[in-house]
Amino acid sequence: MERIRDYLFDSESDAWTLNAHMMAQKSAHVFAVLMFNLNEKDTKVQSLLSDPSLWLQEAVECDGVEVTTGLPLIHALFACHVSNEFALPGRFCELFDHWVRLEDGLLMMDAKDSGGRSLQPLAFANSNTSDWARSYGTYLKRFRIAEGPPVHESKTCAVHFGTDIETDGPVALKIMRVKEQYEREKDARDADGMAVDGCMSILYRDDAELAEALDKDFCLVMTQASRSLFEAINTERFAGRDLPKIRMIAYKVICVIQNLHNSGRIHGDIKPRNVVRVNASKQHTFKDGAKGGQFEVSKAWKDDSAGELFDAADEEDWQLIDLDASAEISSVEHPNERKLLTGKMSTGYVAPEVARWEFRDGTEGGVAPEAVPAIDVWGFGVVLFQLLSGTKLFMVDESDDNIIANNDKTELMNWLALDNERLHRIQKREDKNERKDKGKTGKSKADGLTATDFEIEAARDLVRLCLRGDPSERISVDQIVEHHPFFDVERLNARQPNKDQDDPNGDREDSNEDQDDANEDQDDEDQEDDVNEGQGNDSNEDQDYDSGNSPRRSNTQENPRFSERVMGLHRLVVPTRFSLFGRTTAPPLENDSHTSKFYAASAHNELIELPAYHFFLSHMQAQAAGTVKDLLMGLERNEMTAWVDMRASEITLKSMQRGVLSSQRFVMVLTTDVLFRPFCLAELKFAIDRFSRLEGGVTKYITFVVEGDSRFSAWDEDKNVPWSSSIKASDIEKLKEGLASLDLDPQEVLRDAENTVRECSKIPYRRRMYEEEAMLRALARHAGFRAVPLPPPQSSELRLCIVSKQSSPIANELKELLQDAGANLCKIEKAPVVLVVLEPKCQADVNAALDAAPANVPLLAVHHKWKFADDRKDLKPEWQTKLLDELEVLPWRAKTNKENATYLVDHEQPALISELCLRVRRALRASALDN
């Protein structure tokens, strides 16, 4: 062995000898045999052979020796006699894999000799090593992975592009971290990996050996997509601009969702990243019809600054991927076999009911929401909104599509309907003759969709119907695909795939079959005349805006599903929170004397009401205007909305009732005279009529906020009610006359009001910021909504002493609550902070305790039934000044002693404790700085 080693290696320089180079170039098979022997018996050689620089050493010129210079030894071995028995044997490649790390081996494969030849094609040319060369550096000896980082990586998976070396076909490999999610991806397809039409299938599941190897690594192999919708939106300049392309993509996506639902599953994670284009999109920057064998930049492309004249959307194939969040749909027929959502989601695209579960705090339990089709409808609506507006519904982390801001999370959890600000991001592009350089918002008026008014209204309407907060009120997938007018063009194209697009008369009966249904309830001829008259001269709004030479198909139909007369009704009469294109799921209103006067039954039958407000705030202006303004600001601060009369476009009895109908909850601020005001009682009656018909009744939907401060017209439940025996008969008669003038039954109104005030929950109104926040959170929680999460409490040490009269129950309760909050209680002599409890007959004990406290110790104070004017005189002057003149004394809110259990006050003491802990920490930090 030593002689062989010396023959091949120069031990002094750790380099190949000239003999080794000659043998590699002329007798590679002999070189391989010698290396086999050295590998088995010479450990020193084994360590040398792992160095890639050794293999890449080139032969140098030597007099009298016939050797090719500039040729690395490894190249010489693979190039030697590639077509006969003297070629390098395949077994050598096995040892090469053993000696050389893959990273170094790949570099060697790309290394070139002096003639410019790399190693890989040399190995391909040798029949003994061609299979090895083809599979070297692949995954599972089948897939060559593209260089560079993953094309996509998340907390659950990484995706790499690659090539199947047997077919040369491009593939995508999705390697997953969690077995459960990997199994869900497979379960969403059949045994051969085939998915429903429009969902990406898994490849190679029919090859048992390869499938087993892939399963071991949780690896899915799929057809390589050309681009995701996420990438297309960000790079192809069609979102918020190119309506035909947007509509085509959206129609293909919703049809795939329909196929998936028909197979019994939901997708569960609809978002742009999970929609991919599986065929290459055409380029249109260069002319491919130019002569001379060279591309030329297209003049049409230069002239088309909007980027909309060239469209390949009809030829694009868009599919859904990422079925690891997919779940079986819960069956109505088997309510005991609930199918739940998986834990995988992207919160920027999840429905409100899912967000409430995902963002629940530690005190909330519960199980995941049921897997129902409405969840995918929401996700589709968010994607459609992004396509139509060019903006996202919420600000998200671009790496994982999750919502970032707590306010956005809260808004989503409390979501009722799409607000007008977002809705009007879906806008029509202005005509060039009318366009100004910049709008009020600074957004160029050249932005927006090239569309008719009808198409804009239909687009907004579909997004509104998808983005309903209540899943039972969302439009269904079948209704979207088969009926909604936004997709009339796509349905017509699907029915007539071989007909000329310019033929407006083809299958007119099919294209208009829903128009009769939409108009059959329009029996009021006077109303029709009014609407037609209100339209003015807009009869040409639906004319085709494309030139006859445009290669794109028309955006309009010869016979739109809804006439301009009905469209005019939608624009002129119906508020934007209603939809023209559906029917309500809310319980019908009884056609009694006062309801029918303000809310026509025909309107209820033809419109879908979109709740616009979380709360209706009823109050008496003279006594509670400031209170309601503060309530409104607090609710909006916590991502909730409220109907308030001063913000309404008009203040009439009709608008009040429509405000009640458009609100999810009713809140009345109880002050001294509010229940003696006919309009306030009318609002309460409207709420009673609406909510008494719903599950849970008025006690679930109506809440009273009670003013208890005598400075602001405090309410007394025994005196300030019309049914009190202390009220003058003349005042009651005057109230009844006022109610009768509003066409309301006074006896019925007062009876219902009395029962409602007695039964429904009441929350004391608080003005101090920390108490107000707690009150708003209690109100939101009681109504089923969420408030913006509070910042987590600080973890710094809490040390203080509590001073009070002996055997004070309040002090004892404070001690327990503070200790539960993590406070350490200490003796007065070593106290860094002192908390004083002021209550009747405490002065002697407080004086004695404070006299023993360290000098200049920071003080805090809480009072209960303390009379500031009378009780202070028994305190020492020093403590009077420090406690009552220089310090805010916080009120202790005892749990109510009222027999009426409808008062909600459990939030008040925790709010005080949180505020005290905050102030103790602040005092401790200040003391530390002073020292």
Side-chain angles (χ1 to χ4, degrees), residues 371-488:
V372 294
I375 290 172
D376 282 349
V377 172
W378 174 276
F380 171 76
V382 179
V383 173
L384 182 61
F385 172 81
Q386 188 171 344
L387 289 170
L388 289 167
S389 70
T391 64
K392 293 184 178 179
L393 195 66
F394 296 105
M395 183 173 65
V396 300
D397 185 331
E398 292 298 331
S399 67
D400 58 14
D401 297 316
N402 286 321
I403 295 177
I404 301 170
N406 283 334
N407 282 67
D408 288 342
K409 294 177 182 179
T410 305
E411 183 182 7
L412 178 57
M413 290 189 285
N414 292 335
W415 188 278
L416 300 178
L418 191 67
D419 58 277
N420 280 341
E421 186 278 323
R422 287 186 176 98
L423 186 68
H424 286 92
R425 295 183 202 170
I426 304 171
Q427 61 178 340
K428 177 182 176 181
R429 189 180 309 167
E430 290 188 2
D431 185 83
K432 290 182 179 179
N433 296 326
E434 301 175 356
R435 186 183 305 161
K436 297 180 181 179
D437 290 337
K438 292 286 182 179
K440 293 181 179 179
T441 61
K443 188 173 183 179
S444 171
K445 292 298 183 179
D447 293 335
L449 299 163
T450 305
T452 64
D453 286 346
F454 177 88
E455 289 173 312
I456 293 296
E457 287 302 319
R460 290 174 176 175
D461 185 79
L462 178 54
V463 174
R464 267 196 305 249
L465 292 178
C466 291
L467 300 184
R468 296 289 295 272
D470 185 343
S472 68
E473 295 178 353
R474 285 175 211 144
I475 189 171
S476 71
V477 171
D478 289 343
Q479 288 171 335
I480 297 174
V481 174
E482 298 168 13
H483 299 296
H484 198 279
F486 180 69
F487 290 124
D488 279 351

Side-chain angles (χ1 to χ4, degrees), residues 115-309:
R117 299 178 301 173
S118 60
L119 181 61
Q120 192 166 39
L122 294 176
F124 267 124
N126 186 336
S127 59
N128 297 334
T129 61
S130 60
D131 290 342
W132 171 85
R134 184 174 63 164
S135 64
Y136 187 81
T138 61
Y139 171 61
L140 300 179
K141 296 186 177 181
R142 183 66 179 264
F143 307 107
R144 189 168 302 282
I145 308 301
E147 293 184 7
V151 295
H152 170 72
E153 186 168 12
S154 68
K155 64 181 181 181
T156 61
C157 72
V159 178
H160 288 264
F161 284 165
T163 304
D164 183 339
I165 62 174
E166 292 191 5
T167 66
D168 284 334
V171 295
L173 294 90
K174 179 179 179 179
I175 302 98
M176 307 184 70
R177 291 186 171 95
V178 182
K179 181 179 180 180
E180 180 184 6
Q181 295 173 357
Y182 176 72
E183 294 297 333
R184 283 202 299 266
E185 282 270 19
K186 293 197 302 178
D187 292 344
R189 284 94 169 174
D190 62 21
D192 294 329
M194 299 302 294
V196 299
D197 187 26
C199 289
M200 188 77 76
S201 296
I202 304 174
L203 305 179
Y204 309 110
R205 300 310 300 178
D206 54 349
D207 185 332
E209 183 177 354
L210 181 56
E212 182 179 358
L214 291 168
D215 287 344
K216 183 178 179 181
D217 288 338
F218 305 155
C219 179
L220 302 170
V221 184
M222 293 170 280
T223 302
Q224 185 182 129
S226 65
R227 182 168 283 177
S228 71
L229 184 57
F230 172 83
E231 296 171 303
I233 288 172
N234 291 323
T235 61
E236 295 181 14
R237 201 168 181 263
F238 64 86
R241 306 181 61 81
D242 191 346
L243 181 61
K245 182 168 184 174
I246 291 167
R247 185 162 48 202
M248 173 61 73
I249 294 173
Y251 188 68
K252 290 184 177 182
V253 171
I254 195 61
C255 287
V256 176
I257 295 173
Q258 185 185 44
N259 293 338
L260 190 60
H261 290 183
N262 290 340
S263 74
R265 303 186 71 87
I266 67 167
H267 184 278
D269 195 18
I270 302 292
K271 61 178 183 177
R273 291 184 199 270
N274 291 342
V275 179
V276 296
R277 184 169 55 211
V278 295
N279 58 342
S281 181
K282 287 185 177 180
Q283 66 84 16
H284 48 258
T285 312
F286 297 94
K287 290 193 300 183
D288 54 9
K291 296 181 180 180
Q294 300 293 317
F295 279 111
E296 295 178 4
V297 175
S298 167
K299 183 177 183 302
W301 174 83
K302 288 184 177 180
D303 295 339
D304 177 29
S305 61
E308 298 171 11
L309 290 180

Side-chain angles (χ1 to χ4, degrees), residues 667-681:
V667 172
M668 175 176 275
V669 179
L670 293 177
T671 52
T672 304
D673 299 319
V674 67
L675 294 177
F676 295 91
R677 308 298 295 176
F679 277 91
C680 295
L681 287 173

Side-chain angles (χ1 to χ4, degrees), residues 641-659:
T641 57
W643 189 97
V644 178
D645 53 7
M646 290 296 104
R647 287 195 176 185
S649 58
E650 59 177 0
I651 305 176
T652 64
L653 203 58
K654 179 179 179 180
S655 68
M656 291 175 183
Q657 190 189 38
R658 290 183 74 86

Side-chain angles (χ1 to χ4, degrees), residues 477-504:
V477 171
D478 289 343
Q479 288 171 335
I480 297 174
V481 174
E482 298 168 13
H483 299 296
H484 198 279
F486 180 69
F487 290 124
D488 279 351
V489 170
E490 310 309 326
R491 279 190 290 272
L492 184 62
N493 183 57
R495 292 170 181 166
Q496 301 174 315
N498 298 319
K499 293 188 179 181
D500 190 345
Q501 291 291 332
D502 294 330
D503 178 14

Side-chain angles (χ1 to χ4, degrees), residues 572-644:
L572 300 177
V573 179
V574 183
T576 56
R577 63 179 177 275
F578 292 94
S579 165
L580 178 68
F581 307 116
R583 296 182 181 276
T584 184
T585 58
L589 297 171
E590 292 183 4
N591 192 18
D592 55 40
S593 58
H594 60 273
T595 300
S596 60
K597 178 178 179 180
F598 305 117
Y599 192 71
S602 61
H604 182 83
N605 290 333
E606 294 174 14
L607 304 173
I608 289 183
E609 185 185 354
L610 294 175
Y613 308 102
H614 296 88
F615 295 96
F616 183 101
L617 297 183
S618 176
H619 66 292
M620 180 180 173
Q621 271 288 330
Q623 296 180 351
T627 298
V628 164
K629 184 177 181 180
D630 288 344
L631 275 175
L632 177 61
M633 292 175 62
L635 291 172
E636 290 178 342
R637 192 167 61 244
N638 284 281
E639 303 300 335
M640 289 171 279
T641 57
W643 189 97
V644 178

